[in-house]
Amino acid sequence: MQVRLQKILSQAGIASRRAAEALMAEGRVTVNGRTVREMGTRADPAVDDIRVDGTRIRSAEPRRYILLNKPAGYVTTRSDPQRRPTVMDLVRGVREYVYPVGRLDCDTEGLLLLTNDGDLASTLTHPRHGIERTYEARVAGVPDGAALDRLRTGIPLDATRTLPAKVTLLEKTGREAVLVLTIREGRNRQVRRMCEAVGHPVRALRRTKIGPIADRRLKPGTWRELTAKEVAALTKGRPEGRPLH
Ligand code: URA
């Protein structure tokens, strides 16, 4: 949420609002590397890099790490202009300004993280980190070995080939099959388009794992807080590696 810088600085315990204004006027406050002197400037403490004399400030809000099992039919956004149900409707009661990390299609189910930790969100979504995500896809028909190999080695999508994926055939049920796919990218409708490209359109899609995080017992439409251990596992290797709780 965009808030006036003076307010962010005072809430973080850096200075009174008046003193915060003085710090800004003296050119000692930066937002994402840019010195900010204008008093009305707004920033988002959960997302922006806000520094006083080069030291990053943290918002006073507790960090929240929410694991939601998203049912189909909910849009992954904080607000939908078309007023469809959103994932935020499922985490009512969370007071902090959390937002979804990445996106699941409206018709996709499964695990979705929401947080107010901007560092974690950007690490998890940055392609450089290549966090693995695992999906179970119920597809039309039963893919043969060649189709599975094409999924594994890469499919041309948007002019570039998808990265190698782990793909296994979990079960065959007459005219359908269930595939387990683990990918390291988050292209738009990637799993659906990959399966479509090998002639096996997806009938239902569910995300079952994000990096090291899985939870088979979390019921659709419900959420829980990540444990400190899970958060540590997720953040392992992120640049700042700062302690979490
Ligand atoms: N791949 C898709 O096709 N859809 C999703 O929601 C996630 C991955």
Side-chain angles (χ1 to χ4, degrees):
M1 191 174 30
Q2 297 270 323
V3 185
R4 289 161 73 92
L5 264 179
Q6 294 95 305
K7 186 168 178 193
I8 297 170
L9 296 177
S10 62
Q11 280 187 342
I14 304 290
S16 68
R17 281 198 203 191
R18 285 265 298 283
E21 287 176 4
L23 289 174
M24 290 171 68
E26 288 162 18
R28 294 165 61 187
V29 180
T30 57
V31 176
N32 302 326
R34 195 174 62 82
T35 303
V36 177
R37 289 193 163 86
E38 304 77 40
M39 292 306 150
T41 306
R42 288 168 182 269
D44 182 345
V47 178
D48 294 314
D49 179 325
I50 303 166
R51 293 176 189 248
V52 176
D53 295 336
T55 302
R56 182 147 187 200
I57 64 141
R58 305 270 166 219
S59 82
E61 262 194 354
R63 295 277 184 245
R64 299 293 300 269
Y65 303 92
I66 287 167
L67 182 67
L68 170 72
N69 186 350
K70 180 184 118 44
Y74 286 80
V75 188
T76 306
T77 178
R78 275 200 56 96
S79 71
D80 181 45
Q82 297 173 43
R83 296 186 168 274
R84 290 169 296 180
T86 77
V87 292
M88 301 316 295
D89 296 328
L90 300 167
V91 296
R92 294 214 176 283
V94 175
R95 283 182 45 243
E96 291 77 15
Y97 185 89
V98 297
Y99 47 88
V101 179
R103 197 162 59 83
L104 287 179
D105 301 332
C106 185
D107 43 355
T108 301
E109 302 171 23
L111 300 182
L112 180 72
L113 285 172
L114 297 101
T115 187
N116 55 354
D117 182 338
D119 292 336
L120 179 71
S122 53
T123 302
L124 292 180
T125 47
H126 200 291
R128 176 160 52 93
H129 297 288
I131 305 288
E132 285 189 342
R133 291 163 177 86
T134 300
Y135 298 86
E136 276 182 23
R138 187 155 55 76
V139 299
V142 178
D144 59 14
L148 295 177
D149 278 342
R150 283 179 62 206
L151 290 170
R152 289 182 187 122
T153 50
I155 304 273
L157 286 186
D158 315 318
T160 48
R161 204 168 266 285
T162 55
L163 291 176
K166 295 175 197 160
V167 182
T168 54
L169 181 63
L170 185 67
E171 61 184 51
K172 302 180 223 180
T173 50
R175 296 200 203 135
E176 289 181 340
V178 177
L179 301 181
V180 180
L181 302 98
T182 300
I183 61 174
R184 291 178 168 274
E185 306 163 280
R187 303 198 207 177
N188 189 33
R189 296 182 79 81
Q190 181 165 342
V191 173
R192 292 175 196 276
R193 288 192 294 152
M194 286 170 69
C195 294
E196 177 90 46
V198 296
H200 297 278
V202 169
R203 301 257 212 248
L205 186 61
R206 182 167 68 218
R207 181 154 70 190
T208 55
K209 207 166 172 210
I210 304 168
I213 310 296
D215 188 339
R216 293 245 164 223
R217 282 178 302 191
L218 191 65
K219 297 217 163 57
T222 67
W223 60 272
R224 68 167 172 87
E225 205 82 36
L226 290 185
T227 64
K229 227 173 160 175
E230 287 173 320
V231 175
L234 261 183
T235 54
K236 210 162 55 182
R238 77 174 172 174
E240 287 180 55
R242 68 192 170 80
L244 287 141
H245 285 290

